[in-house]
């Protein structure tokens, strides 16, 4: 060796070992990452296969494939074979009568009669006669004996709609029938026994009515054996296109037309809240189809796009009494901005509409599409509202 010569063999060997260790670590990391990605893809494939292979639960004559309706269908199939009394809860227009019919058709009583009565449609005196029947001469106009709905439903199902509207005195009479299964006709003394399965329905908050003394607690417990809550239409928006297609096809058949809904109009309707639920949606489809001059309904043809949605104004000033799922006003683009469920729990009705819009935009980082989802509106409606209130867009 020459004097002053520097040797690097030891350093090279050390660096080589370090490099080998780093290389092995990198290869191991890549292998783990590759295996993880493969497992994730396999999991997704299996989940799709399971979802594809599991048949969706359906109920005849009821339209809806959403998760909320799948839950309702499952409960209907579970409840139907029993003899238990069922109380259908939900807002007006959610299809309680259709569910009651489904409970009957899937039960062991399907070959028996299905009898229905709207309790809110009759005064107490006529309601008693309708349910229990009357003897000849029981009152003026009773020229012959008549069977009531309980007798007519013997061996089958009796559906009492709007049961929350019956008077306090009649509640006691109804309670006896439900407890004992027996009653007397109006003007008669003979005790009659019947075998009837009761399905009741209401859009009232019965718990609140019981607390106020407006509804008997013992009758509440008697009818609230198996409660079934039907979701509002705004809680199952993915069913709206199916319902619109059904109502349009029926309209076209009845009126010899061939009306279709444009994609833009369908998008607007899917973002409306429909406080009247399926019944309101059906009326809206019939209205726009009737007034359509062409074969295609455009978004500009919809009443809410011209500030002519009377339902929005009606429900804004008179909300429905059913508190378990109280609706927000329909999304008319001009002056209604329902906030999302995660909004601060303050009285938003007292906040100016412009402030609501600004707060939603700030919460969404001034992204119009995100703000539209928070407010339950379409991006087009958000753009219209921003122009109307002369709100300057901010860059984040």
């Amino acid at each position: 060796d020459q004097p002053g010569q520097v040797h690097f063999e030891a350093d090279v060997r050390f660096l080589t070992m370090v490099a080998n260790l780093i290389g092995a670590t990198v290869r191991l990391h890549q292998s783990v990452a590759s295996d993880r990605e493969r497992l994730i893809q396999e999991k997704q494939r299996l989940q799709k296969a399971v979802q594809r292979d599991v048949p969706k639960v359906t109920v005849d004559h009821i339209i809806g494939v959403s998760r909320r309706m799948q839950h309702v269908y499952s409960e209907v199939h579970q409840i139907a074979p029993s003899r238990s009394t069922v109380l259908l809860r939900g807002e007006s227009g959610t299809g309680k009568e259709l569910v009651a019919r489904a409970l009957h058709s899937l039960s062991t009583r399907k070959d028996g009669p299905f009898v229905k009565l709207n309790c809110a449609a009759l005064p107490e005196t006529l309601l008693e006669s309708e349910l229990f029947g009357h003897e000849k001469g029981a009152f003026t106009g009773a020229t012959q004996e008549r069977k009531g709905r309980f007798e007519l439903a013997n061996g089958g199902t009796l559906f009492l709609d709007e049961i929350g509207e019956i008077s306090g005195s009649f509640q006691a009479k109804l309670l006896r029938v439900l407890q004992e299964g027996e009653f007397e006709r109006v003007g008669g003394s003979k005790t009659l026994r019947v075998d009837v399965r009761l399905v009741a329905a209401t859009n009232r908050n019965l718990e609140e009515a019981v607390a106020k003394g407006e509804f008997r607690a013992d009758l509440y417990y008697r009818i609230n054996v198996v409660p079934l809550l039907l979701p509002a239409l705004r809680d199952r928006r993915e069913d709206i296109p199916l319902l619109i297609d059904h109502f349009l096809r029926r309209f076209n058949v009845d009126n010899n037309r061939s009306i279709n809904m444009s994609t833009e109009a369908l998008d607007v309707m899917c973002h409306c809240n429909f406080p009247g639920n399926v019944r309101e949606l059906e009326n809206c489809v019939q209205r726009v189809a009737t007034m359509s001059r062409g074969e295609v309904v455009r978004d500009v043809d919809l009443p809410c796009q011209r500030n002519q949605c009377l339902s929005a104004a009606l429900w804004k000033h008179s909300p429905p009494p059913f508190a378990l799922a109280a609706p927000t006003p329909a999304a008319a683009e001009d002056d209604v901005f329902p906030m999302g469920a995660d909004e601060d729990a303050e009285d938003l009705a007292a906040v100016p509409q412009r402030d609501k819009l600004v707060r939603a935009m700030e919460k969404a980082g001034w992204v119009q599409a995100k703000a539209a989802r928070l407010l339950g509106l379409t991006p087009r409606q958000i753009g219209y509202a921003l122009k109307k209130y002369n709100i300057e867009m901010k860059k984040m």
Side-chain angles (χ1 to χ4, degrees):
D1 292 344
Q2 298 295 327
Q5 184 177 358
V6 180
H7 298 280
F8 296 101
E9 289 81 357
D11 294 336
V12 170
R13 286 195 300 272
F14 175 74
L15 292 175
T16 301
M17 287 189 295
V18 172
N20 289 335
L21 289 174
I22 293 175
T25 303
V26 170
R27 287 193 297 272
L28 178 61
H29 176 75
Q30 291 175 339
S31 176
V32 171
S34 177
D35 289 343
R36 182 175 181 274
E37 182 65 25
R38 179 178 58 80
L39 290 173
I40 290 175
Q41 292 177 354
E42 181 68 11
K43 177 184 176 182
Q44 292 175 343
R45 184 188 68 80
L46 291 174
Q47 285 178 337
K48 290 180 180 179
V50 170
Q51 292 174 356
R52 183 170 58 250
D53 294 338
V54 175
K56 289 186 177 296
V57 184
T58 59
V59 171
D60 291 342
H61 309 302
I62 300 181
I63 298 173
V65 296
S66 63
R67 185 171 60 180
R68 296 291 297 273
M69 290 307 295
Q70 287 291 304
H71 179 68
V72 170
Y73 299 156
S74 296
E75 290 196 329
V76 167
H77 281 278
Q78 178 73 23
I79 296 169
S82 73
R83 298 171 57 91
S84 302
T85 299
V86 181
L87 178 61
L88 303 178
R89 311 290 298 268
E91 299 172 11
S92 178
T94 50
K96 293 188 283 291
E97 183 177 337
L98 289 177
V99 173
R101 287 185 178 276
L103 288 169
H104 172 72
S105 63
L106 293 171
S107 72
T108 56
R109 299 168 174 261
K110 61 183 179 180
D111 295 327
F114 176 81
V115 180
K116 63 179 182 177
L117 178 66
N118 188 329
C119 298
L122 298 171
E124 181 179 340
T125 52
L126 291 181
L127 183 60
E128 184 175 2
S129 174
E130 283 292 326
L131 279 178
F132 305 143
H134 61 254
E135 300 289 351
K136 181 179 179 181
F139 50 84
T140 303
T143 57
Q144 59 184 3
E145 176 189 284
R146 182 182 179 184
K147 292 183 177 181
R149 303 298 172 98
F150 271 102
E151 283 185 82
L152 295 175
N154 190 32
T157 303
L158 176 62
F159 174 53
L160 296 183
D161 198 6
E162 303 294 350
I163 196 170
E165 304 301 323
I166 61 178
S167 66
S169 58
F170 190 75
Q171 290 174 26
K173 298 176 183 178
L174 180 60
L175 179 63
R176 182 206 167 194
V177 181
L178 299 182
Q179 286 179 331
E180 309 296 336
E182 59 184 32
F183 61 94
E184 293 82 32
R185 292 177 185 159
V186 177
S189 57
K190 180 181 178 181
T191 300
L192 303 174
R193 295 193 62 84
V194 290
D195 175 23
V196 172
R197 185 196 190 170
L198 178 68
V199 178
T202 183
N203 61 6
R204 288 191 66 187
N205 186 331
L206 290 185
E207 292 76 16
E208 182 179 322
V210 171
K212 292 181 178 179
E214 299 172 353
F215 199 86
R216 292 178 63 108
D218 46 6
L219 179 59
Y220 168 79
Y221 294 122
R222 176 61 60 178
I223 65 175
N224 193 36
V225 179
V226 181
L228 179 56
L229 178 62
L230 304 188
L233 184 58
R234 63 184 172 277
D235 294 328
R236 55 183 186 106
R237 294 182 186 276
E238 54 267 52
D239 293 332
I240 293 179
L242 296 175
L243 291 164
I244 290 176
D245 180 67
H246 170 73
F247 294 140
L248 267 182
R249 283 191 283 108
R250 191 162 68 184
F251 176 87
N252 289 333
V253 170
D254 293 343
N255 297 275
N256 194 26
R257 299 283 300 274
S258 56
I259 304 294
N260 293 305
M261 189 79 63
S262 71
T263 304
E264 295 77 14
L266 188 63
D267 181 66
V268 171
M269 295 188 72
C270 286
H271 284 82
C272 289
N273 281 328
F274 291 111
N277 296 293
V278 179
R279 185 181 295 117
E280 183 186 355
L281 174 62
E282 180 179 9
N283 292 342
C284 183
V285 171
Q286 289 189 3
R287 179 165 60 250
V288 297
T290 300
M291 300 305 295
S292 176
R293 299 182 183 276
E295 298 299 311
V296 178
V297 176
R298 301 170 299 165
D299 56 342
V300 294
D301 298 326
L302 301 177
C304 60
Q305 298 299 92
R306 303 192 302 272
N307 194 28
Q308 295 178 354
C309 183
L310 300 180
S311 175
L314 172 66
W315 285 82
K316 179 180 179 181
H317 297 292
S318 180
F322 190 65
L324 294 182
T328 53
E333 66 178 58
D334 186 53
D335 62 352
V336 180
F337 297 101
M339 301 302 291
D342 58 345
E343 185 59 45
D344 296 335
E346 60 182 319
D347 186 9
L348 291 172
V351 181
Q353 298 296 336
R354 188 180 190 279
D355 289 352
K356 289 185 183 181
L357 182 57
V358 171
R359 289 171 60 187
M361 291 296 294
E362 290 176 344
K363 189 173 183 179
W366 290 90
V367 178
Q368 293 188 40
K370 188 181 295 186
R373 289 193 295 270
L374 287 175
L375 295 170
L377 304 177
T378 65
R380 181 180 181 277
Q381 291 171 319
I382 285 288
Y384 175 90
L386 291 172
K387 291 181 181 179
K388 173 186 175 182
Y389 291 112
N390 194 26
I391 297 175
E392 183 179 354
M393 292 293 294
K394 297 181 181 179
K395 295 183 180 181
M396 302 298 291

